Amino acid sequence: MKKQSKTIGLIGGMSWESSKLYYEIINKRMNEVLGDSHSAKLIMVSVNFEEIKKMTFANNWEGIGVVMAKSAKQLEKAGADSILLCTNLIHLVSDKIKESVAIPLLHIADATGEKIQQQKLQKVLLLGTKYTMEKDFYTSTLEDKYGLEVMVPETQERQTIHDIIYNELVKGIFTEKSKKYLCQVIEGSKGKGAEGAILGCTEIPMLIADQALSIPTFDTAKIHAYKAVEWAVSLT
């Protein structure tokens, strides 16, 4: 049996609600893969989400890039062999991370694209913050590298989803009203040709985890975490 020899570095805190899931999922998956009492070798740098949120709303991506690069350097110096950014949106500055360290960044859109390809889907709905849905850093990876057609909700739906994420989910607030709304958006996308839905905000799966839907959903946090374990034990 292969034994883990690599340490996964996590940049968390965006939000800590989803970061704690990364820690749990990675350790559980590592134990499933290696058995006995195995757990994951992890190092985490957790940032202050309020600072990141303010820079996000101000479109200060340069500032966010500086914070992420600093965090990546901390992980590398501490002995991490790879970096996992425990959020979808902040992958917008993934190039800043890659430029700052010699260890690899395991990109969430690559892990997600590979998973969707395995299920042989062509057209998928992308949910997330409005930045994730409207900017091309995520969709371009899925379209250019994995040949997927990516659709997003209508303008008002995007704003409502964005508000649910920032006003509720990142604060640990999960309501039936918001759950019902997101499920309606996903179900409505099926009539527009969507074959699956990407839960492109790491908090969304916590809201609709137990909901049965008519098209498959892709929990990006779980997919990303599983990819990190696969990398760490060299299962590729």
Side-chain angles (χ1 to χ4, degrees), residues 209-227:
D210 61 347
Q211 186 66 40
L213 296 162
S214 63
I215 58 175
T217 57
F218 295 88
D219 180 343
T220 53
K222 185 174 182 180
I223 292 168
H224 200 201
Y226 271 45
K227 187 66 178 179

Side-chain angles (χ1 to χ4, degrees), residues 154-220:
E154 300 296 330
T155 303
Q156 185 53 55
E157 291 175 329
R158 295 199 299 271
Q159 185 62 54
T160 300
I161 293 168
H162 180 85
D163 291 341
I164 288 172
I165 291 169
Y166 278 104
N167 296 333
E168 299 177 17
L169 304 189
V170 300
K171 298 178 180 179
I173 300 169
F174 305 95
T175 68
E176 274 301 315
K177 180 181 178 181
S178 294
K179 177 179 179 179
K180 183 177 180 181
Y181 184 82
L182 283 171
C183 289
Q184 286 177 339
V185 172
I186 292 171
E187 292 293 359
S189 72
K190 184 179 178 181
K192 301 174 184 177
E195 301 169 296
I198 299 170
L199 308 183
C201 166
T202 47
E203 286 82 16
I204 290 177
M206 291 188 281
L207 178 66
I208 64 171
D210 61 347
Q211 186 66 40
L213 296 162
S214 63
I215 58 175
T217 57
F218 295 88
D219 180 343
T220 53

